[in-house]
Amino acid sequence: MTTITDRLAAAQQRIAQAAANASRSSHEIKLLAVSKTKPVSQILEAYQAGQRRFGENYVQEGQEKILALQSDCPDIEWHFIGPLQSNKSRIVAEHFDWMHTVDRDKIAQRLNDQRPADMAPLNVCIQINISQESSKSGITPTQMMALAKEIATLPHLKLRGLMAIPTETDDTQVQNREFAELKQCFDKLKAAYPEVDTLSMGMSGDLEQAIAHGSTMVRIGSAIFGARGC
Ligand SMILES: *Cc1c(COP(=O)(O)O)cnc(C)c1O
């Protein structure tokens, strides 16, 4: 049976290979281990194998895991990557290091106001709905600069970049078009805000294409922790 340690190494190998194919350094691409629905024991196994960045989608579940691991694994960097209702923003502001799914002024404002003064600014990414599917959250590329301008005024938030979940499809042409569009958005944002350094795109099934198109952070769940649900 393959272990989480083996699968983590295999994921890192895929990243290294994809980076080499794109003539990029693998150091430019960070691996975020998406541990949603998985028990603390599995996060600990990945941690013991050297993994430090973990992503969670659900506020309550994430908070419980952060509290459970804070004394044994104080150097975990926690990323919130799920949709966020504004009445839950305080939990994210008080417990997470990163928030990938900022998609409106109101959430940005609340996270800023609720971020404790003794914590480092919350790192944030703007979520872009690149497929423009109404079922998905995120803003359109044309709304990006206005939201970035708002975030840039908020002292307890640090704008790091963009995040997106492209269309789930086997059509590589559609995938490539969406990743390319995201890279264009990223370059535009970075031109206006030079401190921006994160393009959060690519998951277990499409990390190779995402890296070919300039991803700097891939969010990998099932390839490390196995399938979810059942
Ligand atoms: C679940 C999830 C992932 C990980 O997906 P896998 O296909 O399991 O790698 C990445 N990003 C987001 C936003 C997710 O919700």
Side-chain angles (χ1 to χ4, degrees):
M1 217 188 96
T2 51
T3 62
I4 287 172
T5 304
D6 295 335
R7 290 193 297 244
L8 193 53
Q12 268 152 355
Q13 187 51 45
R14 279 176 69 190
I15 292 169
Q17 186 61 54
N21 291 347
S23 306
R24 301 179 59 198
S25 159
S26 59
H27 300 294
E28 290 171 32
I29 301 137
K30 299 187 166 101
L31 168 57
L32 179 64
V34 177
S35 44
K36 64 183 179 210
T37 78
K38 300 298 179 181
V40 162
S41 59
Q42 295 193 3
I43 298 177
L44 203 51
E45 186 178 342
Y47 180 88
Q48 280 157 355
Q51 180 63 27
R52 289 296 179 271
R53 290 183 187 85
F54 291 89
E56 289 286 336
N57 288 58
Y58 309 103
V59 171
Q60 230 85 42
E61 180 189 333
Q63 179 186 24
E64 281 167 26
K65 289 174 178 173
I66 291 169
L67 295 176
L69 288 164
Q70 68 183 358
S71 57
D72 288 340
C73 312
D75 56 345
I76 288 183
E77 190 178 272
W78 291 101
H79 294 237
F80 188 78
I81 62 171
L84 182 61
Q85 293 171 326
S86 55
N87 64 349
K88 304 261 178 69
S89 61
R90 181 176 296 280
I91 297 177
V92 172
E94 292 182 349
H95 295 281
F96 283 83
D97 302 295
W98 283 68
M99 158 66 179
H100 288 228
T101 56
V102 174
D103 61 357
R104 54 202 191 276
D105 283 0
K106 186 185 173 191
I107 282 285
Q109 191 71 58
R110 287 178 67 93
L111 290 167
N112 178 71
D113 295 349
Q114 294 167 340
R115 184 70 168 171
D118 61 348
M119 289 177 81
L122 180 66
N123 297 291
V124 302
C125 292
I126 294 173
Q127 184 176 2
I128 303 283
N129 182 358
I130 201 71
S131 59
Q132 315 243 336
E133 291 168 276
S134 56
S135 61
K136 284 200 183 141
S137 38
I139 59 172
T140 65
T142 49
Q143 296 168 315
M144 173 183 79
M145 292 306 278
L147 182 54
K149 196 173 167 191
E150 278 294 316
I151 293 170
T153 66
L154 301 172
H156 303 295
L157 302 186
K158 186 169 179 188
L159 181 63
R160 298 297 294 267
L162 300 179
M163 178 271 201
I165 309 170
T167 310
E168 208 182 316
T169 173
D170 294 332
D171 186 338
T172 49
Q173 237 176 322
V174 172
Q175 276 181 334
N176 286 333
R177 190 181 63 228
E178 291 185 358
F179 284 137
E181 248 182 275
L182 285 162
K183 176 62 160 65
Q184 279 181 3
C185 292
F186 178 66
D187 289 342
K188 182 176 172 188
L189 187 67
K190 202 171 159 51
Y193 301 95
E195 68 279 15
V196 157
D197 60 0
T198 301
L199 180 53
S200 164
M201 63 182 193
M203 315 201 297
S204 294
D206 59 10
L207 72 90
E208 282 82 5
Q209 289 100 310
I211 289 171
H213 286 94
S215 169
T216 71
M217 194 180 288
V218 289
R219 308 181 307 265
I220 310 297
S222 49
I224 296 170
F225 296 107
R228 287 176 298 272
C230 318

